[in-house]
Amino acid sequence: MKVLGINAVFHDPAAALVVDGTTVAAAEEERFSRRKHGKRPVPFSAWELPVLSARWCLDEAGIGADELDAVGYSFDPGRCAPADELGLDDPWDWLRQDYARRAPAFLAEALPGLDPAAVRFVPHHVAHAASAALAAPYPPDEDTAVLVLDGRGEAASHLAGRYRDGRLEVLAGQRLPHSLGLLYEDLTAHLGFLRSSDEYKVMALASYGRPRFLPLFRELVRTTADGGFQVAAVDWAALAKPRHGEDDRLDPEHADLAASVQRRLEEVLLELAGWLHDAAGGPARLAMAGGVALNCVANARLAAEGPYQRVWVQPAAGDAGTALGAALHLSAEADVLPEPMPGADLGRGFPDAELEAELIRAALPYERPGDLAAVVARVLADNGVVAWYDGRAEYGPRALGHRSLLANPGDPATTARLNDIKGREHFRPVAPMVLAGRAAEIFEGQLPSPYMLFTHRVRDGWRERIPAVVHVDGTARVQTVDPAAEPRMASVLAEFDRRTGLPVLVNTSLNIAGQPIVDTPRQAMELFGAAPVALLVLGPYTVRRAAAFGGA
């Protein structure tokens, strides 16, 4: 059975292809269009489809649109209600709904050969839930609790349920306007950042503040006995003056406000997860998706203090992941039980011959070293920054060793240096990747953590050794590297450990601020040419800055 999943209606448009229950390809449209998040989440953009990523998914599998058994569109306009009935100030939301209703015809025009009747609407939060529970590495015949929290879907912002044998039983949901995601978005905008884009900056800023407004937010944001919650109106300006852009100064009151909302979010998440655990009959496993599930600080607290033995978060937890979820859901409905997600490297990749052809076209002096790990580790040990491009691109917002900037965690100046290279705010941390077998001696928390979706406390004795990856609160957002899954990156980590005694590297995404992560070798070479990066790695090939540009 061949099922294409489509996310289009809000933000982060994406496509995913599932064939006979196996995830074959998945990618966000931004990687092709080079527009961050693909588009803004306004009603006027709801007609835009992830045409480029959808065509690529089909090409990757070698099938035509006429061969698809179904197309899942991760929004069901039949479940919508007028915005004013939902308590939303969104007078053009009817246009979004109208565009969604027309999606089958739009898709048939964009993908020649597609029968519009093959397009099926999958409720937004059901798609999120499927992207988590049906992709998780859990036994399919055992109960898995699933928790979805985001800004909004058709008429709700939350779903709590239980999966068994590929079937979802919905146990609770929260109708709009109450939304933890919209609360965090409002905070993001008040602090001068871009709504539905920069929420992760607020999470980082929160570590610098004191949660002195927490008593107020405990009154404003409350869970309910039926597994939902209520969010009262917040007078943001009474708590901290608004910032009108990122050029405005950040004051301690802004960090305190961020800390207060972050702490309350964590508490509410724990309460909702606890209710779900009881309502679902005490399952050992929880799967999560929705934009709120990208809050790795909250995830870590839930894993540490919640009632579940294991918590798994979809690496494309935001709306992009609903493309995969819609496809998995339709597969399961057809009694084709999906297989666990094979990894996040589901996007475009290029064979070595194409990488070499691009280097030749660019007239860059390149090498193919016999011991790539030794070359890379030597540059990193000498405090050089490495642009690392290898294999297929990651699905989701995290760079996980396929499109990454690597650096030495032992130099405390590395963080500011990388933030300068990328044009990022200096309060934002950079993350570590670590050999899976060494992680527990350095970090506390849920391990392994292959998708960088939890924070971990750095153990005593290591904070001074890897200062570049330790956030102001003593934590780090860890990615563990399994040599069986990522042999090339594991070899670099092992060689760097041999040279420095540190089995850890800094890993941040291969892009600059405001741009999507690079997707093609040409984009990687363009970044290398524009940034002070010592070494470019394209698959098995290397380009040294000194050789290419005559500089260090």
Side-chain angles (χ1 to χ4, degrees):
M1 182 175 183
K2 305 176 183 67
V3 186
L4 181 68
I6 296 289
N7 171 61
V9 74
F10 292 117
H11 52 82
D12 295 300
L17 183 66
V18 175
V19 177
D20 296 332
T22 299
T23 302
V24 173
E28 294 114 312
E29 188 74 1
E30 69 165 22
R31 306 298 175 89
F32 299 81
S33 69
R34 308 311 297 164
R35 295 164 58 194
K36 187 72 171 175
H37 296 296
K39 61 181 182 179
R40 294 299 298 149
V42 296
F44 307 99
S45 71
W47 65 271
E48 296 185 45
L49 296 168
V51 175
L52 299 175
S53 50
R55 290 175 179 169
W56 171 78
C57 285
L58 296 176
D59 289 344
E60 180 70 9
I63 65 174
D66 59 325
E67 300 176 71
L68 291 169
D69 296 291
V71 176
Y73 183 87
S74 63
F75 187 83
D76 184 354
R79 293 193 170 206
C80 291
D84 55 354
E85 288 185 16
L86 297 173
L88 299 176
D89 182 16
D90 195 355
W92 288 96
D93 191 53
W94 64 269
L95 184 62
R96 177 185 285 118
Q97 298 173 33
D98 187 54
Y99 283 146
R101 280 189 287 270
R102 298 171 186 267
F106 291 163
L107 283 163
E109 183 176 355
L111 302 174
L114 176 66
D115 181 356
V119 180
R120 296 173 57 187
F121 296 118
V122 177
H124 188 71
H125 289 112
V126 171
H128 267 310
S131 80
L134 296 182
Y138 295 153
D141 59 341
E142 297 182 16
D143 285 0
T144 296
V146 61
L147 184 63
V148 174
L149 291 159
D150 65 359
R152 62 164 295 191
E154 295 86 357
S157 68
H158 158 243
L159 179 150
R162 171 176 54 201
Y163 266 92
R164 172 172 274 196
D165 295 329
R167 303 297 180 184
L168 170 65
E169 177 187 0
V170 177
L171 300 173
Q174 179 56 58
R175 190 171 173 86
L176 293 166
H178 303 287
S179 170
L180 297 176
L182 292 181
L183 173 74
Y184 217 91
E185 286 186 18
D186 288 344
L187 171 63
T188 299
H190 185 75
L191 294 179
F193 302 114
L194 184 61
R195 178 191 298 272
S196 297
S197 174
D198 293 346
E199 283 70 26
Y200 58 93
K201 298 181 183 180
V202 177
M203 183 182 67
L205 179 65
S207 297
Y208 289 86
R210 296 182 298 110
R212 58 189 178 95
F213 304 115
L214 183 56
L216 172 63
F217 280 98
R218 285 175 173 159
E219 293 294 321
L220 296 174
V221 185
R222 293 175 173 268
T223 55
T224 54
D226 59 356
F229 52 88
Q230 294 191 342
V231 180
V234 180
D235 184 356
W236 298 103
L239 303 176
K241 64 183 179 183
R243 292 177 74 226
H244 300 292
E246 296 196 32
D247 291 335
D248 282 5
R249 188 178 68 183
L250 274 170
D251 293 327
E253 64 180 4
H254 298 122
D256 291 349
L257 181 56
S260 302
V261 176
Q262 173 66 35
R263 183 71 62 84
R264 186 55 185 150
L265 174 70
E266 296 165 18
E267 293 175 345
V268 170
L269 188 62
L270 275 166
E271 292 173 32
L272 293 174
W275 181 93
L276 173 58
H277 186 259
D278 293 339
R285 294 164 296 276
L286 173 68
M288 295 173 60
V292 174
L294 290 172
N295 191 303
C296 56
V297 177
N299 294 346
R301 187 168 177 191
L302 176 57
E305 301 177 30
Y308 301 92
Q309 295 177 19
R310 195 74 188 166
V311 177
W312 191 84
V313 181
Q314 164 59 243
D319 275 7
T322 64
L324 176 59
L328 294 173
H329 174 77
L330 294 183
S331 293
E333 270 199 340
D335 293 324
V336 180
L337 197 60
E339 297 177 4
M341 191 172 172
D345 52 334
L346 297 168
R348 275 196 291 187
F350 298 83
D352 292 351
E354 289 190 32
L355 297 177
E356 186 173 25
E358 284 293 310
L359 289 165
I360 293 170
R361 181 201 59 78
L364 286 176
Y366 66 94
E367 299 175 344
R368 184 169 186 158
D371 191 342
L372 178 65
V375 171
V376 174
R378 187 179 305 116
V379 172
L380 292 167
D382 290 340
N383 253 7
V385 175
V386 174
W388 178 272
Y389 181 103
D390 184 42
R392 295 178 67 174
E394 300 93 340
Y395 181 46
R398 307 282 189 244
L400 300 169
H402 291 254
R403 306 287 187 270
S404 294
L405 282 170
L406 308 177
N408 187 337
D411 182 358
T414 294
T415 310
R417 186 175 167 209
L418 285 172
N419 283 335
D420 283 340
I421 288 173
K422 299 186 62 169
R424 305 192 329 167
E425 300 84 358
H426 276 222
F427 65 81
R428 290 172 57 189
V430 291
M433 57 167 46
V434 59
L435 287 167
R438 300 289 303 279
E441 70 184 80
I442 306 169
F443 303 103
E444 300 174 8
Q446 177 172 288
L447 296 168
S449 181
Y451 298 127
M452 205 185 284
L453 285 164
F454 300 85
T455 56
H456 297 74
R457 185 152 298 279
V458 184
R459 294 188 183 276
D460 292 341
W462 280 96
R463 295 175 192 172
E464 299 77 16
R465 298 181 65 185
I466 52 172
V469 297
V470 183
H471 196 30
V472 66
D473 60 0
T475 67
R477 190 182 66 200
V478 173
Q479 177 199 352
T480 54
V481 175
D482 179 357
E486 301 287 350
R488 187 172 279 170
M489 181 56 71
S491 295
V492 173
L493 281 161
E495 181 64 20
F496 185 77
D497 182 22
R498 189 186 70 79
R499 290 174 178 272
T500 66
L502 303 176
V504 177
L505 286 173
V506 175
N507 170 31
T508 187
S509 55
L510 187 56
N511 65 334
I512 61 174
Q515 293 188 6
I517 298 173
V518 305
D519 198 63
T520 67
R522 179 176 296 191
Q523 292 158 13
M525 289 186 288
E526 289 171 349
L527 187 148
F528 175 62
V533 174
L535 186 74
L536 169 66
V537 178
L538 282 180
Y541 305 105
T542 61
V543 182
R544 296 179 182 273
R545 183 165 204 85
F549 305 110

